[in-house]
Amino acid sequence: MRSLKCLILGLVAAVAASAASFTVVTYNVENLFDADGVAAYDDYQPAVYTPQHFATKLENIAKVLAKFGGGAGPEVILFQEIELDQTQGKSAPDYSAMLRRLEGRTVRGWLSMPDLPAELKDLPSEAWLLKALADAKLTGYTVISGDGGNAKAHEDGNRPSIKCVTFTRFPVLDVARYPTENARDILETKLNVEGNPFYVFNLHWKSGAGDVKTETTRVQNAGVLRTRLSELLKSDPSADVVIGGDFNSQYNQKQRYPKMKQTGLNDVLGSQGNELALRGTTRDLYNLWFELPEDQRGSDTYQGEWGTLIQMLVTRGLYDQNGIQYQDNSFGVARIADLNVDAAGVPLRWSPDGELGSGFSDHLPVYAHFRTVPDRRKDRWMELSRPSETETDAAIRPVSYEGVDRSKALTIASLPDGADLRDGTWSGKLFKVTGASVPNRYPMVHFAGQDYEIYGVNKDVRGLIYAQRDQQAEFDFYGELGTFKGTWQFVVQDPSWVTPIAQD
């Protein structure tokens, strides 16, 4: 697993867009909805999702991105699941004027106002996100929205609710948007990187990775991208192109779900894992997940398995000695201990419980580094260390908590005086829990002055928890603090987390 130290050291410290090296991040932020109280999703109505919750989401996104570039942030960010503003104006905000207007207070300060001015309440999510990054000293971004103002109902009748948004520090040469069936527009942004054209595609395909029926929609989504990509590469086979986003597909989609006769990612788009094949003429895309060992491939989880829905693909032009070049083996997952993941590295997803809410996203960001090269030789290839020659594989990696280091678990004694475990600060943290059993239908423990339900993730864990309740007066276990439908609980992830009952 790549450590945070390596992540930070490997990232670019320079802020200026003229830097020879730069970083691209892809980040699904799990429904970043704005503050106007008008939302298409029930979970983001005013009774559940407040301006204070919005501020927490914004601040947490900024905390993650500030881990890049020595605190300066990445040069290019591809966001997914930004709210498609339900009350949008006729034109995009003047972002420079907006930032000047918001000087003097932080995002939290503005959104805490009981009488937030109407023109600020109506700002789209990406505008507030720009301000949150500025609060964290991440500045200089141009904002490109994936919605061109022509959003219409999807073919399945569902109302569009989210979109892709690209932030970049490089000059923007051109922008194009390509509608897809039952999914978000594909956003293409052509950038000028030290005089070199750099094409960045930001996408979010139809959901349901393991569903054979919805795969037909992703095939259509992939076809839209493949058509545009083929057109671009026909004009310039050495074009420098990065494709990032939420593909709602596994990098090994075809092998992982053999019942799918045709997949959007592998069959239509042509994603594959033979890095050396880019030097030929039949393969034009390489999936950067193959840069990592199999046991490190994962940016999201579902039903106890790691997934790779967030992906980044590159074209052969990023391997030659001309223009822009991918930095070999620089792809990684921003899995940042004590910030956006739990004890096993699983994403700490957003939760609206508590006054402020807590968590980050159900997806971890992925990133890669790039640089400009002066040679101007399209006929020469960069040297590769341990190049991947794997076409693809069917590996499925389960989430495991068995080997988690529990020595750093929090205890009552380690908490600061007056700590409120329900203020959102402690959600997702691992605790060593000892406390009296509280009479209740389900196992419940009294801990740090409050009562918490205890949830075991499987039958074996639940059996051990019930045994503790029935055979002794108090509980003794390790658990992650969280909520379920508004009820605070400790989640026990593995049988090894339950202290064995003492035998007489």
Side-chain angles (χ1 to χ4, degrees):
M1 181 181 296
R2 295 173 187 263
S3 68
L4 176 58
K5 180 179 179 180
C6 291
L7 185 155
I8 295 175
L9 291 176
L11 297 178
V12 185
V15 179
S18 61
S21 298
F22 62 96
T23 301
V24 177
V25 170
T26 295
Y27 194 3
N28 181 321
V29 291
E30 191 179 9
N31 298 324
L32 182 66
F33 278 40
D34 61 28
D36 63 14
V38 181
Y41 295 169
D42 291 341
D43 290 346
Y44 293 89
Q45 300 299 326
V48 180
Y49 182 74
T50 70
Q52 290 297 301
H53 290 139
F54 183 37
T56 298
K57 293 200 72 166
L58 292 166
E59 290 170 345
N60 284 355
I61 293 168
K63 288 176 184 177
V64 171
L65 294 174
K67 295 298 182 181
F68 292 85
E75 284 71 22
V76 180
I77 314 169
L78 311 181
F79 290 109
Q80 298 83 46
E81 291 198 14
I82 302 288
E83 183 185 21
L84 198 163
D85 192 4
Q86 304 299 306
T87 60
Q88 61 185 327
K90 294 182 179 180
S91 59
D94 180 334
Y95 290 107
S96 296
M98 179 211 72
L99 289 176
R100 291 192 297 271
R101 167 77 167 85
L102 296 177
E103 284 181 348
R105 295 191 188 196
T106 64
V107 158
R108 176 76 63 186
W110 283 109
L111 293 174
S112 296
M113 293 177 61
D115 54 348
L116 184 68
E119 71 273 15
L120 298 184
K121 184 178 292 186
D122 197 43
L123 285 174
S125 296
E126 60 267 29
W128 285 107
L129 181 53
L130 185 68
K131 166 61 176 170
L133 296 187
D135 288 347
K137 312 301 183 185
L138 280 63
T139 60
Y141 291 108
T142 297
V143 178
I144 310 297
S145 173
D147 168 44
N150 299 311
K152 58 183 179 64
H154 290 160
E155 289 75 6
D156 58 10
N158 290 329
R159 182 181 180 184
S161 302
I162 51 179
K163 63 185 178 182
C164 301
V165 176
T166 296
F167 279 31
T168 176
R169 289 191 177 123
F170 295 112
V172 177
L173 298 177
D174 198 9
V175 176
R177 302 171 183 86
Y178 306 96
T180 62
E181 181 180 298
N182 295 328
R184 280 56 58 176
D185 287 0
I186 295 172
L187 175 60
E188 175 190 343
T189 308
K190 182 180 180 181
L191 305 175
N192 181 346
V193 181
E194 290 192 331
N196 301 292
F198 183 49
Y199 297 86
V200 178
F201 288 86
N202 186 355
L203 59 85
H204 188 182
W205 289 352
K206 176 65 177 177
S207 61
D211 186 350
V212 174
K213 292 182 179 179
T214 59
E215 186 65 20
T216 59
T217 301
R218 287 185 291 277
V219 164
Q220 189 279 338
N221 299 169
V224 173
L225 178 57
R226 181 71 259 182
T227 297
R228 170 54 186 153
L229 185 63
S230 295
E231 175 185 57
L232 180 59
L233 295 179
K234 181 178 181 181
S235 175
D236 179 6
S238 298
D240 296 322
V241 182
V242 167
I243 303 169
D246 186 342
F247 289 72
N248 273 310
S249 306
Q250 313 293 350
Y251 78 93
N252 54 358
Q253 184 81 352
K254 188 174 182 66
Q255 285 68 34
R256 188 159 174 173
Y257 307 116
K259 292 183 179 180
M260 295 180 181
K261 296 180 180 179
Q262 184 183 40
T263 64
L265 181 67
N266 302 126
D267 295 305
V268 177
L269 187 58
S271 165
Q272 54 90 39
N274 188 333
E275 198 169 14
L276 295 175
L278 292 180
R279 298 179 178 182
T281 58
T282 60
R283 307 289 182 87
D284 53 26
L285 286 177
Y286 174 61
N287 192 318
L288 293 180
W289 274 116
F290 287 90
E291 298 285 88
L292 300 180
E294 288 183 13
D295 63 357
Q296 295 180 24
R297 297 175 190 170
S299 57
D300 51 85
T301 63
Y302 180 66
Q303 294 184 343
E305 296 176 352
W306 280 101
T308 53
L309 305 185
I310 308 301
Q311 304 185 42
M312 197 176 294
L313 284 68
V314 293
T315 58
R316 64 166 63 92
L318 291 166
Y319 283 79
D320 62 23
Q321 297 290 349
N322 177 69
I324 300 167
Q325 189 176 84
Y326 168 62
Q327 294 189 29
D328 190 26
N329 297 316
S330 69
F331 176 78
V333 183
R335 186 178 289 107
I336 307 168
D338 297 320
L339 187 65
N340 65 339
V341 295
D342 74 357
V346 171
L348 287 179
R349 66 176 306 170
W350 168 252
S351 170
D353 291 310
E355 181 180 348
L356 303 180
S358 64
F360 295 79
S361 172
D362 52 348
H363 298 273
L364 299 175
V366 303
Y367 63 89
H369 312 317
F370 301 85
R371 61 189 167 215
T372 55
V373 291
D375 295 359
R376 304 294 180 185
R377 293 294 300 270
K378 295 183 180 182
D379 60 335
R380 291 186 179 177
W381 303 103
M382 73 185 211
E383 294 186 9
L384 297 176
S385 171
R386 54 179 178 82
S388 167
E389 298 183 61
T390 305
E391 292 294 328
T392 189
D393 61 74
I396 297 176
R397 185 161 70 97
V399 176
S400 176
Y401 286 86
E402 184 176 2
V404 165
D405 180 7
R406 302 191 295 274
S407 64
K408 297 180 181 179
L410 298 170
T411 64
I412 292 178
S414 67
L415 296 174
D417 292 340
D420 179 5
L421 297 190
R422 301 184 179 185
D423 66 3
T425 305
W426 310 96
S427 297
K429 303 297 185 183
L430 180 65
F431 284 81
K432 178 67 165 70
V433 181
T434 56
S437 176
V438 178
N440 186 50
R441 177 182 177 187
Y442 302 106
M444 178 174 282
V445 62
H446 187 75
F447 180 77
Q450 295 173 306
D451 296 338
Y452 297 87
E453 285 191 359
I454 309 168
Y455 175 71
V457 297
N458 58 46
K459 182 179 179 181
D460 291 340
V461 173
R462 290 191 289 273
L464 294 171
I465 292 170
Y466 275 90
Q468 278 197 354
R469 186 186 70 173
D470 297 340
Q471 298 180 39
Q472 56 190 40
E474 69 173 17
F475 287 104
D476 188 358
F477 62 88
Y478 292 87
E480 292 181 338
L481 182 63
T483 58
F484 179 71
K485 295 184 177 180
T487 299
W488 285 90
Q489 60 180 202
F490 283 105
V491 180
V492 185
Q493 300 280 7
D494 190 81
S496 64
W497 289 19
V498 182
T499 303
I501 297 173
Q503 301 295 322
D504 294 334

